[in-house]
Amino acid sequence: MQQLLNGLFIGSIYALFAIGFTLVFGILDRLNLAHPAVFAASAFVGIGLAEAFELSIWVILVLVFLFGAVLGLIIERVAFRPLKNRPDAHFAGLIASIAMAGMIVAVLQAFFGPQTRRFPEGTAPEGKVEMLGASATYVQLAIVIICIGLVIALNVLVKRSSLGRSMRAVAENPTAARVLGINVDRVTAMTFAISSALGAVAGVLFALNVNSAQLGMGTAIELKGLAVIIVGGMGSLPGALVGGLVLGVAEVFAIQYIGSSWRDFIAFALLFVILLVMPQGIFGKRKVREV
């Protein structure tokens, strides 16, 4: 039971990271490879805020959410919008986002240095809760609650708000959406903002969970995020959630029963098997793109 809980904790972070990834892909059919840099940058900014102003983790999460949203707007405006009318816009945007990621990491190194950073003591509530023969820290419980809450809020936004309806229209047919009077550029910018805001929160939660932040932490989780959205079904928000939890649980059980060196092998082998059985992913459908 303890290992299952640990897997759910880390899987929740993977899911939140992957949902930001799949939101942009599902709506705009673009793969934003600057997303891992937002993940890392937000962790460093969160630690910097905690050190400079002695803020609680709840205030930091709100500020980092806003920081991630602004960074997402910058990425969309600089790396994607100028290239949108090119015939190879998908590939050009992919390369531009990689360049943006490199620039963000370079700025991080200039401001914070290459050293590993950690949150100061007292930033997050300390203590443990015993449940079903296992224990969980307050931080771990907060991670799961925050991740589930953000996923539910995003689902409500996409399914029931006017912005969500516009997002679904753009995902279905951008040209028709523009004809119907939808501001496609605005929807695109808001999609990037929301995606990066979710990635930012995931970065802070990950740094809290492992008690460290490194410049390469986004790169380390990037491949896992891509695997999660492929297994869950490209463009599927529920699929990204389930895929993240599956990956987290698989990793933890691999460490417990086989060894840490086999963690990635077992996790990705499991995902490979899932794709063999369900090539479209857990929630994927042929010729249908979910938002």
Side-chain angles (χ1 to χ4, degrees), residues 7 19 29 50 65-66 84 86-87 121 129 133 160-161 163 185 209 220 226 233 244-245 259 266 270 272 274:
I19 284 171
D29 202 21
F65 184 90
L66 298 175
K84 67 178 181 178
R86 288 172 57 113
E121 290 187 12
V129 175
R160 300 190 178 183
S161 70
L163 175 60
D185 287 339
N209 189 57
L226 290 172
L245 296 177
I266 296 298
L270 175 61
F272 181 68
I274 292 175

Side-chain angles (χ1 to χ4, degrees), residues 241-253:
L241 175 60
V242 174
L245 296 177
V246 169
L247 179 59
V249 171
E251 278 193 357
V252 169
F253 276 97

Side-chain angles (χ1 to χ4, degrees), residues 54-66:
E54 299 183 356
L55 302 175
S56 73
I57 189 58
W58 312 112
V59 176
I60 290 172
L61 286 172
V62 172
L63 294 177
V64 165
F65 184 90
L66 298 175

Side-chain angles (χ1 to χ4, degrees), residues 230-233 271-284:
I230 291 171
V231 169
L271 299 183
F272 181 68
V273 170
I274 292 175
L275 285 180
L276 286 178
V277 177
M278 294 175 286
Q280 302 304 314
I282 298 174
F283 288 87

Side-chain angles (χ1 to χ4, degrees), residues 158-211:
V158 170
K159 300 297 183 183
R160 300 190 178 183
S161 70
S162 59
L163 175 60
R165 287 189 290 271
S166 298
M167 286 178 171
R168 286 184 278 129
V170 172
E172 187 65 31
N173 191 319
T175 303
R178 198 182 299 275
V179 170
L180 292 173
I182 294 174
N183 189 333
V184 175
D185 287 339
R186 174 180 172 271
V187 172
T188 299
M190 291 302 299
T191 301
F192 270 90
I194 295 170
S195 167
S196 294
L198 295 176
V201 173
V204 172
L205 295 179
F206 185 84
L208 274 174
N209 189 57
V210 301
N211 194 29

Side-chain angles (χ1 to χ4, degrees), residues 33-76:
L33 293 186
H35 195 64
V38 175
F39 178 85
S42 302
F44 275 84
V45 168
I47 292 172
L49 290 172
E51 292 175 340
F53 302 105
E54 299 183 356
L55 302 175
S56 73
I57 189 58
W58 312 112
V59 176
I60 290 172
L61 286 172
V62 172
L63 294 177
V64 165
F65 184 90
L66 298 175
F67 167 78
V70 172
L71 198 52
L73 291 174
I74 294 172
I75 291 170
E76 187 275 333

